[in-house]
Amino acid sequence: MVTISRHPQYHRLLLLCCFWLWTTDAITAERQQQEAIIQGTIAFTTHGRMHYDFDVYTVSLPSQFLSLGNGSSCLQQQRRLQETRMTYGQSVNYNAQLVSSSLASVPLLKTLHAHGFRNLLETEKEEEQEQDAPQLLLYVSEMEGSPQVYINIPLGAGGKVQSQDTEGIRRTMREESTVPPFKLSTLRAGPSAFLNDRPSLTGDTVVYVSTEEPSERPRQSWNGIYSTSFASRVTKRLSPYGVSDFSPSISPSGEWVMVASTQGREWDGEIGELNLGLYVFKAEDGSQRRLVVQNGGWPSWADSSTVFFHHVAQDGWWSIYKINPFDSSSDQEPERVTPPGVHAFTPAASSTGNWIAVATRRASTRHVEIFDLQTKKFVKLTELINPNVHHYNPFVSSSSGEIGYHRCRGTHPDGSSTASVDLRVESVTSPLENLSLIYVDGSFPSFSPDGSLIAYVGSSDDSAAMNVMRLDGSEIRKVFTGDVFGLAWDPTRKDIVYAAHGPVFRSTQTSVHIVAVYNVDTADVEADKAGSSWKYLTKEGTHNNAFPSPSGDGKYLVFRSGRSGYKNLYIMDAVDGEEKYLHRLTEGDWTDTHPSWSSDNEWIAFSSDRGHPGRFALYLIHPNGTGLHRVLNSSPGWINHPCFSPDSKSLVFTSDYAGLSAEPISVPHQFQPYGDIFICRIDGTGLTRLTHSSNENGTPGWGRIPVAASMLSKEGTKPFCDFNDVDFLQRIGAAPQMCGFQ
């Protein structure tokens, strides 16, 4: 029999324990109830992402090239460069490192052997030389819905090429392998909805960027540097809390890490050079951290005392510099390496010490070139293989015998298409169990009342036409031709979608109309079906009208109009337009835009820069004009394109609240290389970051039906690599002398 003491202290302790358990259960129940409310599917656009089709490639260098720097100005021997595809055409794959397995630790090799890479321990036992050992490819892939680090053996046994096809692309045995790549996050417990990027391997440890922990301030990047050990299975954060680090590089000894960091400064929304500082610290625990040089990015170690990095010179050219991180003399200045006349950036040092690989922009196409450190000349590389394709973020193999990069797989050099397609929809890993996330190959997705259809603005059309597809991405139909944006499906009538008809990003005086498009549930203007009909709801001469959103009962539309000279909110009749009814909801010399009307008719959410021109916060107002209040502020950033959940209890929106997730120079063109999808409750609590991406995510829509990744259609379009490189690189003058393979 259990005896309970009658002492009053024990009774009080027992009561406190019971109260704590009751409170904990209540909080847990409330949280579960809140998460249960947050359900359905959020669809959104990521600028250009659905057409990147990135795969990792390498080019083997001629043996005589390894001696560059001996005074020879150019390679004279004729040679056909051959490109090897190292990843296999699924999703996007990028930011790789290629190292010999002979440099990896036994715990790492045992882990990969247990995963299915059976030849690794065999070759390790045979004590093969580095050039004969299988190579390990570390890279980032979004094949499972979020940017994660993977390790693979890209070549056949012994690291040797298995065959060569007539297209000049070396195929490998790994393409047919049934062993999937090893996912680094499997060493850890917990979700993987965040971003992992820029991996580097040293011994048994992988160092990388991760956004898994929130920042302390709005608009501060979540980027931190982490290390994961295969020996101890321990993951450490190496970056101090409150500091955002980018682009890590490990010293050849594995002892030091150098990063580009925002430490000591605030990000002010810049999208070119970020004015980062280069910091060095111990790879083991992040200790002995110190500033090496201000205003640099993308460091790359050549040896224990030489680091290359990029920086915009005073003459305006992106250029490569080098510095000794351990020279403590006060007069040490970074040495400029590449000359003016060509933009050079994202360097990758070779172990030879004679040359570096760099990305360049001479005209409109980004290429990878080699820069001879003694002759001071550039050597063409990727331009000789794929002259019209952008190539990103070069890397050099541990032996310096290969240079790698990522590019759009698109077509083979002979013009034949790859087997993959640009998917119409693609699943994104969600941090919430009952909420599905999907990329849409287009913008402004809006769900039908029952959630089974999505209307959106197509991204690959000559004009921004309105398309409709099923929730899973199948059965696409074009329902309206012409430039449209800001779509909103009528909540009570499945056949009507409202939109802005006219050019986007224009002044208040530009003519843009609110249009109602009918029969969208059945229309197909490119097939033998009945076409859609439409009518304008705004009058001629009312200038720029956009972003319609219907009331929950379908009787009214709220929209943004510039008819007064300022962009404010108005309400009109949803059937007969402003001819029948018009009411001005907000008024002021600011911009109120992107309204969304809740399905319960209680609130209208919108973005406004009132009080801070160009800086948008999230507001709510009742349809009768009362109750105006600010819900969230990115201070001093922006929150745009809010959209209510189907139950009116939550909001989804895009924001720069989490700052940048990569150096903008390392990714293709974005209108703004920041912006992720967030949700919160309508009182501003429960702020949750849904996406972690180095690209711009925006224009979210929220439907009531969840959709599993396995249910999404594989329909899409032929890859065509139709995206632009960054637009902040300007051609300034004549290019310097260069040479190439003859």
Side-chain angles (χ1 to χ4, degrees):
M1 184 177 68
V2 177
T3 303
I4 300 178
S5 172
R6 296 182 180 179
H7 196 284
Q9 290 183 344
Y10 288 98
H11 286 276
R12 286 196 294 269
L13 180 61
L14 182 61
L15 288 173
L16 285 172
C17 289
C18 291
F19 177 77
W20 179 83
L21 289 172
W22 176 83
T23 304
T24 302
D25 289 342
I27 293 174
T28 302
E30 180 184 4
R31 184 173 301 159
Q32 291 174 344
Q33 183 179 9
Q34 291 170 347
E35 290 188 358
I37 293 173
I38 301 175
Q39 58 187 345
T41 294
I42 292 176
F44 59 95
T45 184
T46 298
H47 182 75
R49 157 66 176 72
M50 302 294 280
H51 299 286
Y52 289 165
D53 298 315
F54 285 147
D55 266 326
V56 175
Y57 294 79
T58 61
V59 175
S60 294
L61 301 178
S63 58
Q64 73 271 24
F65 184 78
L66 298 181
S67 63
L68 266 183
N70 60 7
S72 173
S73 62
C74 293
L75 297 175
Q76 299 300 322
Q77 180 180 353
Q78 290 186 355
R79 178 177 178 86
R80 184 186 182 189
L81 295 173
Q82 294 180 328
E83 193 179 52
T84 301
R85 188 165 77 169
M86 311 294 275
T87 52
Y88 309 113
Q90 183 180 2
S91 189
V92 289
N93 311 280
Y94 49 92
N95 289 349
Q97 181 197 28
L98 188 65
V99 297
S100 170
S101 60
S102 65
L103 303 178
S105 68
V106 172
L108 186 151
L109 296 177
K110 286 184 176 180
T111 300
L112 297 182
H113 181 272
H115 179 70
F117 299 143
R118 303 300 181 190
N119 59 332
L120 285 177
L121 289 179
E122 297 170 3
T123 56
E124 190 270 334
K125 290 177 182 178
E126 295 169 6
E127 297 183 351
E128 295 194 45
Q129 299 298 314
E130 179 180 343
Q131 62 267 25
D132 297 319
Q135 299 191 84
L136 301 177
L137 183 74
L138 280 77
Y139 64 103
V140 180
S141 180
E142 299 178 19
M143 68 178 77
E144 296 182 55
S146 65
Q148 295 293 307
V149 173
Y150 294 84
I151 303 177
N152 206 350
I153 303 179
L155 304 180
K160 299 179 178 62
V161 176
Q162 301 301 308
S163 64
Q164 179 175 313
D165 63 21
T166 57
E167 300 167 357
I169 296 180
R170 294 181 294 170
R171 304 299 180 187
T172 68
M173 186 172 69
R174 285 290 304 139
E175 282 190 279
E176 285 74 42
S177 173
T178 58
V179 181
F182 179 82
K183 187 177 179 181
L184 182 65
S185 61
T186 58
L187 297 178
R188 310 175 55 189
S192 58
F194 43 79
L195 172 147
N196 288 340
D197 198 5
R198 290 299 311 279
S200 294
L201 172 67
T202 175
D204 71 350
T205 301
V206 178
V207 174
Y208 53 96
V209 172
S210 182
T211 59
E212 60 188 82
E213 295 180 281
S215 59
E216 298 177 347
R217 302 184 305 276
R219 301 188 87 220
Q220 181 185 16
S221 171
W222 291 23
N223 281 29
I225 307 302
Y226 293 76
S227 67
T228 297
S229 168
F230 280 82
S232 66
R233 304 296 178 98
V234 171
T235 293
K236 302 176 183 177
R237 181 183 173 106
L238 304 180
S239 300
Y241 287 97
V243 170
S244 304
D245 290 338
F246 299 81
S247 311
S249 178
I250 302 181
S251 65
S253 67
E255 184 179 2
W256 298 94
V257 176
M258 183 172 282
V259 298
S261 179
T262 62
Q263 184 170 342
R265 62 177 299 272
E266 299 287 338
W267 176 61
D268 193 34
E270 63 268 24
I271 60 174
E273 187 183 28
L274 299 183
N275 299 319
L276 303 169
L278 296 183
Y279 286 76
V280 67
F281 51 79
K282 284 284 190 177
E284 180 181 4
D285 56 9
S287 63
Q288 300 184 40
R289 181 182 177 107
R290 60 182 177 82
L291 175 67
V292 176
V293 64
Q294 287 283 14
N295 300 332
W298 208 269
S300 178
W301 293 79
D303 53 47
S304 60
S305 61
T306 307
V307 174
F308 294 92
F309 62 95
H310 62 219
H311 167 62
V312 179
Q314 290 185 347
D315 55 25
W317 293 99
W318 283 74
S319 302
I320 306 304
Y321 289 74
K322 71 175 182 179
I323 197 168
N324 181 350
F326 303 110
D327 183 350
S328 59
S329 59
S330 60
D331 59 348
Q332 181 189 203
E333 291 289 336
E335 176 186 343
R336 187 173 184 174
V337 174
T338 57
V342 61
H343 293 296
F345 41 89
T346 58
S350 70
S351 60
T352 67
N354 296 325
W355 54 269
I356 57 176
V358 298
T360 64
R361 261 276 297 277
R362 296 178 178 274
S364 59
T365 304
R366 179 186 299 216
H367 280 293
V368 172
E369 300 181 18
I370 299 162
F371 187 76
D372 188 324
L373 295 172
Q374 293 194 15
T375 65
K376 306 299 182 184
K377 291 181 179 178
F378 289 94
V379 180
K380 290 182 180 179
L381 189 66
T382 60
E383 185 179 351
L384 304 177
I385 307 171
N386 304 291
N388 300 315
V389 177
H390 298 302
H391 299 72
Y392 291 86
N393 305 352
F395 60 92
V396 178
S397 65
S398 55
S399 67
S400 293
E402 293 171 277
I403 291 177
Y405 45 84
H406 59 267
R407 69 165 177 87
C408 178
R409 48 188 169 266
T411 57
H412 296 318
D414 68 348
S416 63
S417 176
T418 58
S420 63
V421 299
D422 289 347
L423 297 174
R424 197 169 297 134
V425 295
E426 191 172 342
S427 178
V428 179
T429 303
S430 173
L432 302 178
E433 182 179 357
N434 298 317
L435 184 67
S436 304
L437 302 177
I438 56 174
Y439 292 125
V440 172
D441 184 17
S443 55
F444 300 102
S446 182
F447 290 81
S448 61
D450 63 2
S452 64
L453 300 174
I454 301 176
Y456 68 102
V457 179
S459 66
S460 58
D461 300 311
D462 294 334
S463 63
M466 185 191 301
N467 297 330
V468 171
M469 62 182 173
R470 296 184 63 83
L471 175 61
D472 64 1
S474 64
E475 299 181 19
I476 183 174
R477 295 175 286 110
K478 183 179 291 187
V479 300
F480 184 81
T481 57
D483 292 327
V484 293
F485 62 96
L487 309 189
W489 212 305
D490 188 291
T492 60
R493 290 161 288 191
K494 190 178 180 180
D495 64 330
I496 302 176
V497 171
Y498 306 100
H501 186 204
V504 68
F505 296 126
R506 299 300 173 88
S507 71
T508 58
Q509 299 303 304
T510 304
S511 180
V512 180
H513 279 287
I514 303 300
V515 61
V517 182
Y518 306 102
N519 306 320
V520 294
D521 55 337
T522 58
D524 191 341
V525 299
E526 295 182 334
D528 294 331
K529 295 182 180 180
S532 60
S533 59
W534 57 274
K535 76 172 182 179
Y536 285 149
L537 299 177
T538 46
K539 294 180 179 180
E540 291 294 334
T542 56
H543 304 306
N544 194 329
N545 306 285
F547 302 110
S549 179
S551 57
D553 56 14
K555 295 179 179 180
Y556 300 97
L557 287 176
V558 62
F559 64 103
R560 184 268 291 154
S561 180
R563 63 187 65 200
S564 69
Y566 299 102
K567 294 179 178 179
N568 295 146
L569 302 185
Y570 295 76
I571 294 175
M572 66 177 171
D573 187 81
V575 177
D576 298 314
E578 64 174 292
E579 187 71 44
K580 181 176 181 179
Y581 175 80
L582 181 69
H583 169 67
R584 186 168 185 171
L585 183 62
T586 65
E587 183 174 356
D589 59 349
W590 49 70
T591 295
D592 297 330
T593 188
H594 307 150
S596 176
W597 205 321
S598 63
S599 61
D600 62 6
N601 285 326
E602 281 295 313
W603 292 104
I604 292 172
F606 64 99
S607 298
S608 178
D609 68 349
R610 54 182 67 202
H612 297 87
R615 310 290 192 177
F616 287 86
L618 175 61
Y619 287 81
L620 286 179
I621 189 172
H622 287 303
N624 64 5
T626 64
L628 173 68
H629 65 282
R630 190 176 68 188
V631 178
L632 283 175
N633 183 18
S634 187
S635 180
W638 52 265
I639 297 173
N640 289 117
H641 299 287
C643 176
F644 274 100
S645 60
D647 64 5
S648 301
K649 296 180 179 179
S650 300
L651 287 160
V652 61
F653 51 89
T654 182
S655 176
D656 65 350
Y657 195 89
L660 295 164
S661 295
E663 293 188 50
I665 190 67
S666 67
V667 299
H669 167 66
Q670 309 287 309
F671 290 111
Q672 46 204 22
Y674 48 83
D676 276 293
I677 306 300
F678 291 79
I679 60 171
C680 70
R681 289 184 283 274
I682 63 172
D683 62 1
T685 62
L687 181 65
T688 302
R689 182 179 180 179
L690 297 182
T691 64
H692 295 249
S693 172
S694 57
N695 304 307
E696 177 189 357
N697 300 310
T699 66
W702 199 330
R704 61 180 66 255
I705 303 176
V707 58
S710 59
M711 301 300 292
L712 295 180
S713 166
K714 299 301 181 182
E715 295 179 14
T717 59
K718 178 180 177 180
F720 54 89
C721 302
D722 185 20
F723 58 88
N724 296 320
D725 196 27
V726 294
D727 62 357
F728 51 79
L729 294 177
Q730 302 298 321
R731 188 174 178 85
I732 301 172
Q737 184 180 358
M738 67 179 299
C739 58
F741 296 104
Q742 304 299 312

